[in-house]
Amino acid sequence: MTEQWDEHTDPLEVIRWALVNYPDLLITSAFNLNGVVMLELAALAGYTGEVVFVDTGYHFPETLATRDQLIARYPQMQFVTLSANVPLDPWGQEQFRTDPDGCCRIRKVAPLREYLARKKPSALLNARSRDQALTRRHLGFLEFGERLRINPLAYWSRQQLEMFVQTRQLPVNPLYRAGFLSIGCWPCTRAVQAGEDVRAGRWSGQGKTECGLWVGRQSL
Ligand code: SF4
């Protein structure tokens, strides 16, 4: 079946396939535009599993409020919030400025890796898409690695995502309408300018494009 998939394949078909073949899969989400669409599609496909969010301690209040709206919308899903067992900025050095890789490693990657090591899901359902950034332009529906990553939205454009949000009346982080097209922690996110990548506002000017969850040695 997967060999017949192409850029026109309905994400819902991919999710349904995933639920049949990997019933223990988990969703990880930061509740961005893509993530909100993904949850609605997963709900339509009958997903009742976990939605795992890593609270770094630096999220915008709007992001936490969006998460709470989604918790109310999908009572059939189990929302799990993880956090690093490390106090915020214990040495007053603003690690997010001096060592953003280390900050992401401790506050984001480590809690999720530890959780997944305990749960051992065979696959993760992920909301990334090609047109979020040049670095994601080759993303496909399936990524094989330490565990399978399934990306049903790989080929959907931002326009398709926005149309779906509008049609389904989904709760989107209000910062999105203010130009924050990809929203992470407040110290490392700015609004995007016209013509920039969706993710251009993440770690802007810091020479960093990913938190480490999805690329490189620490990839999940
Ligand atoms: Fe730290 Fe910024 Fe990474 Fe958040 S995005 S964990 S504040 S470096």
Side-chain angles (χ1 to χ4, degrees), residues 79-110:
F79 284 74
V80 176
T81 296
L82 308 177
S83 52
N85 193 19
V86 181
L88 277 187
D89 204 19
W91 307 285
Q93 292 179 331
E94 297 195 329
Q95 189 184 13
F96 51 78
R97 288 191 216 291
T98 56
D99 176 22
D101 284 340
C103 187
C104 280
R105 193 161 53 242
I106 292 168
R107 311 208 69 83
K108 257 187 185 180
V109 179

Side-chain angles (χ1 to χ4, degrees), residues 56 58 95-97 99-105 107-108 184-189 202-203 206 208 211:
T56 60
Y58 289 116
Q95 189 184 13
F96 51 78
R97 288 191 216 291
D99 176 22
D101 284 340
C103 187
C104 280
R105 193 161 53 242
R107 311 208 69 83
K108 257 187 185 180
C185 300
W186 62 260
C188 305
T189 305
R202 304 288 296 277
W203 303 284
Q206 290 181 280
K208 177 174 164 69
C211 61

Side-chain angles (χ1 to χ4, degrees), residues 5-215:
W5 289 351
D6 61 22
E7 68 268 31
H8 305 297
T9 300
D10 186 343
L12 204 45
E13 180 185 332
V14 177
I15 298 173
R16 288 190 174 122
W17 171 88
L19 295 185
V20 169
N21 290 282
Y22 300 93
D24 66 334
L25 64 76
L26 294 184
I27 294 178
T28 59
S29 186
F31 312 124
N32 271 288
L33 181 79
N34 289 46
V36 168
V37 169
M38 175 78 190
L39 285 188
E40 181 75 359
L41 287 168
L44 290 172
Y47 182 70
T48 57
E50 292 189 355
V51 179
V52 182
F53 167 70
V54 184
D55 186 352
T56 60
Y58 289 116
H59 282 290
F60 291 98
E62 289 88 343
T63 301
L64 302 178
T66 303
R67 174 200 57 183
D68 294 344
Q69 282 182 277
L70 293 165
I71 289 173
R73 186 178 176 95
Y74 305 114
Q76 72 274 35
M77 298 182 193
Q78 326 303 314
F79 284 74
V80 176
T81 296
L82 308 177
S83 52
N85 193 19
V86 181
L88 277 187
D89 204 19
W91 307 285
Q93 292 179 331
E94 297 195 329
Q95 189 184 13
F96 51 78
R97 288 191 216 291
T98 56
D99 176 22
D101 284 340
C103 187
C104 280
R105 193 161 53 242
I106 292 168
R107 311 208 69 83
K108 257 187 185 180
V109 179
L112 190 50
R113 280 193 77 90
E114 283 162 20
Y115 189 72
L116 295 178
R118 281 204 309 277
K119 296 286 291 189
K120 297 185 174 49
S122 55
L124 298 177
L125 206 50
N126 190 270
R128 287 170 300 153
S129 56
R130 288 183 169 211
D131 83 345
Q132 284 178 307
L134 278 175
T135 50
R136 295 184 176 180
R137 66 187 181 281
H138 298 304
L139 190 72
F141 286 129
L142 303 179
E143 286 177 286
F144 299 92
E146 193 173 325
R147 64 173 55 78
L148 180 65
R149 296 192 305 228
I150 305 166
N151 311 309
L153 299 176
Y155 295 94
W156 264 21
S157 65
R158 188 149 73 89
Q159 212 175 12
Q160 284 174 292
L161 294 166
E162 287 183 353
M163 209 177 300
F164 187 82
V165 162
Q166 199 177 354
T167 306
R168 305 289 302 183
Q169 294 287 293
L170 303 181
V172 169
N173 191 326
L175 292 172
Y176 184 83
R177 311 280 182 216
F180 290 72
L181 302 188
S182 175
I183 304 159
C185 300
W186 62 260
C188 305
T189 305
R190 66 157 170 80
V192 170
Q193 310 299 315
E196 287 186 321
D197 267 358
V198 167
R199 287 177 59 81
R202 304 288 296 277
W203 303 284
S204 180
Q206 290 181 280
K208 177 174 164 69
T209 56
E210 299 278 353
C211 61
L213 289 178
W214 309 115
V215 291

